[in-house]
Amino acid sequence: MVPQPRGIVLISACRTWIVGARLIVGGLIVGCAGEGDGGGGGGSPSPDAPPAIDAPPSTVTEVTPCPATPDAIVTTRDDVYVYMPATTTIAAGQAVRFETSLYHDVAPLPPMTDAALSVGFGATRCLRFTAPGTFRFKCTPHGFSGTITVN
């Protein structure tokens, strides 16, 4: 343990900075430049950092270009607050084309929904579901939801 002198101790993601009180009076900007990583945070983790958590592999992948005839289509319109259809059932390996309007999006709805289940406002995106399960999603600003069931 490093003895701590009087003053203020600032902790950044890269290292601990000890700053004397005199520097604070004139203002202070603290940057983060770790051992040779250019400040980008790509250096070695500190001994105090929690262990990395292994995420399960993604079961939703983007299909580009979108197939001319996807296995299912989910749409939104600006004048209604629902996905059409709200529930869709497909087989593993099939693709769904999501067509969102300018005021609605698609965001994963936890728990147990793949983070790749995401479509921006006013976008069209085709997603392939590679594993069985129930994938819930929502419109971020309005809260209505939908479900893809993969058999």
Side-chain angles (χ1 to χ4, degrees), residues 5-109:
R6 291 186 177 191
I8 297 173
V9 176
L10 299 176
I11 299 175
S12 75
C14 297
R15 66 176 68 186
T16 304
W17 298 84
I18 301 172
V19 180
R22 285 181 286 198
L23 293 175
I24 298 294
V25 174
L28 175 69
I29 299 174
V30 177
C32 182
E35 295 79 21
D37 72 353
S44 301
S46 73
D48 298 337
I53 298 173
D54 291 331
S58 181
T59 58
V60 178
T61 57
E62 185 169 14
V63 178
T64 54
C66 279
T69 55
D71 302 294
I73 299 173
V74 175
T75 63
T76 62
R77 288 188 354 211
D78 288 337
D79 60 338
V80 295
Y81 293 89
V82 296
Y83 292 108
M84 296 171 285
T87 59
T88 302
T89 301
I90 59 171
Q94 290 187 319
V96 176
R97 182 169 62 213
F98 289 87
E99 300 171 353
T100 61
S101 63
L102 293 176
Y103 299 114
H104 304 304
D105 66 345
V106 171
L109 185 61

